[in-house]
């Protein structure tokens, strides 16, 4: 009931492209969601909704290894169909024909979050693209509108999050603990959240399963363009016409 309550509180809606719905569920995809936001509240809230939106497709979310070591948090991530984000486990899932959801920006994007600023930490994130190419999975660019409006982050909080002890903690140990404030303590503000799932991008390489660095870089550039296009095509209709997407 807690997840259902969060879903209603966020007024979460999923907008899934027709091509993704019609894609053979046995052909895996990697759903890349941007941005992370302070707490990626949508990640938990969309559990169940995604299965209804993509019937027949089994989707597991990659989660930071450290989360599986934290009491209570471990139970939550396992309950909401998360698996360890290690390369070995992700590859095993794709080989079994499972699809994955990933938030490429990770802890760095989480710590850099600014209220009302649509920024994704993508320029140096090649891993998820290479993983897709190695296993013949299509990439699905996905944008979470409203995510950066759920919490208030003052300039002082942002400065503390992006340098010093908190930043070092996230970089060295993968533990992100950003400073922020919500509607009541650490609870998010009530803000419409819309997840827009784009068209699957089929990535090609000369030798199937063995992409070169140059091929990965080209595919990454293609993905970045598709993500920007997805954002621009939907921002006005969803109430964000005055915003631009920044890629860091």
């Amino acid at each position: 009931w807690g997840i259902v309550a969060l879903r209603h509180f966020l007024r979460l809606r999923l907008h899934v492209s027709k091509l993704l719905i019609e894609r053979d569920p046995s052909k895996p995809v990697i759903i890349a969601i941007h941005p992370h936001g302070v707490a990626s509240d949508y990640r938990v809230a969309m559990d169940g909704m995604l299965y209804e939106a993509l019937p027949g497709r089994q989707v597991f979310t990659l989660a930071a290894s450290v989360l599986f070591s934290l009491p209570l948090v471990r139970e939550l991530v396992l309950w909401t169909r998360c698996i360890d984000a290690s390369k070995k486990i992700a590859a095993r899932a794709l080989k079994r024909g499972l699809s994955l959801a990933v938030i490429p920006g990770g802890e760095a994007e989480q710590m850099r979050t600014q209220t009302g600023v649509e920024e994704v930490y993508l320029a140096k994130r090649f891993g998820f693209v290479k993983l897709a190419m190695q296993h013949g999975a299509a990439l699905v660019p996905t944008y979470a509108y409203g995510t950066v409006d759920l919490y208030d982050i003052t300039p002082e909080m942002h400065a503390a999050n992006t340098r010093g002890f908190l930043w070092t903690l996230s970089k060295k140990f993968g533990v992100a603990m950003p400073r922020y404030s919500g509607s009541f303590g650490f609870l998010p503000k009530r803000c419409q959240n819309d997840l827009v799932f784009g068209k699957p991008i089929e990535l090609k390489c000369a030798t199937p399963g063995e992409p070169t660095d140059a091929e990965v870089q080209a595919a990454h550039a293609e993905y970045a363009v598709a993500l920007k296009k997805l954002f621009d095509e939907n921002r006005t209709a969803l109430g964000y016409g005055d915003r631009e997407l920044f890629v860091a």
Side-chain angles (χ1 to χ4, degrees):
W1 63 267
I3 293 178
V4 174
L6 176 61
R7 188 181 301 160
H8 287 300
F9 183 77
L10 298 178
R11 292 177 284 178
L12 181 63
R13 300 183 298 189
L14 305 186
H15 310 264
V16 185
S17 68
K18 184 179 180 181
L19 288 178
L20 177 56
I21 295 174
E22 295 177 344
R23 183 181 172 84
D24 185 345
S26 67
K27 295 181 178 180
V29 300
I30 295 181
I31 300 171
I33 309 175
H34 314 263
H36 187 292
V38 168
S40 62
D41 305 81
Y42 56 78
R43 210 285 307 160
V44 174
M46 75 176 183
D47 184 61
M49 293 179 71
L50 194 56
Y51 276 73
E52 294 177 4
L54 299 173
R57 184 175 296 280
Q58 295 189 63
V59 183
F60 287 82
T61 302
L62 299 182
S65 301
V66 68
L67 298 180
F68 294 90
S69 303
L70 303 175
L72 299 181
V73 175
R74 178 179 183 276
E75 281 64 37
L76 177 62
V77 294
L78 289 174
W79 186 32
T80 53
R81 300 181 180 88
C82 289
I83 59 176
D84 193 296
S86 67
K87 182 179 178 180
K88 180 180 179 180
I89 293 179
R92 185 187 305 164
L94 291 172
K95 288 178 181 178
R96 292 174 55 195
L98 302 176
S99 291
L100 300 175
V102 61
I103 306 176
E107 294 88 358
E109 190 173 86
Q110 183 178 6
M111 297 299 290
R112 292 164 63 109
T113 299
Q114 299 181 70
T115 306
V117 178
E118 308 291 349
E119 181 180 49
V120 297
Y121 195 73
L122 180 62
K124 297 181 180 180
R125 301 298 193 183
F126 294 94
F128 73 105
V129 177
K130 185 175 183 179
L131 181 68
M133 298 179 78
Q134 289 174 327
H135 298 279
L139 274 182
V140 180
T142 304
Y143 202 84
Y145 295 87
T147 299
V148 297
D149 298 297
L150 292 174
Y151 301 94
D152 291 319
I153 301 172
T154 65
E156 293 74 21
M157 289 176 176
H158 183 254
N161 293 340
T162 55
R163 62 174 70 99
F165 173 73
L166 293 178
W167 181 252
T168 301
L169 187 66
S170 69
K171 292 289 287 183
K172 286 192 174 182
F173 302 102
V175 179
M177 300 178 63
R179 292 182 57 192
Y180 64 89
S181 62
S183 59
F184 182 76
F186 294 104
L187 295 178
K189 296 183 293 184
R190 192 170 194 196
C191 175
Q192 179 78 52
N193 271 217
D194 288 277
L195 263 67
V196 181
F197 297 75
K199 302 174 184 177
I201 303 172
E202 303 287 353
L203 306 176
K204 304 294 183 181
C205 51
T207 303
E210 299 180 12
T212 64
D213 290 344
E215 288 173 331
V216 171
Q217 291 174 4
H220 181 276
E222 178 185 355
Y223 176 84
V225 170
L227 177 64
K228 182 67 165 59
K229 181 180 179 182
L230 179 73
F231 177 85
D232 289 339
E233 288 179 342
N234 294 277
R235 61 177 181 169
T236 300
L238 296 176
Y240 299 91
D242 60 337
R243 293 188 183 178
E244 295 289 338
L245 177 62
F246 300 97
V247 177

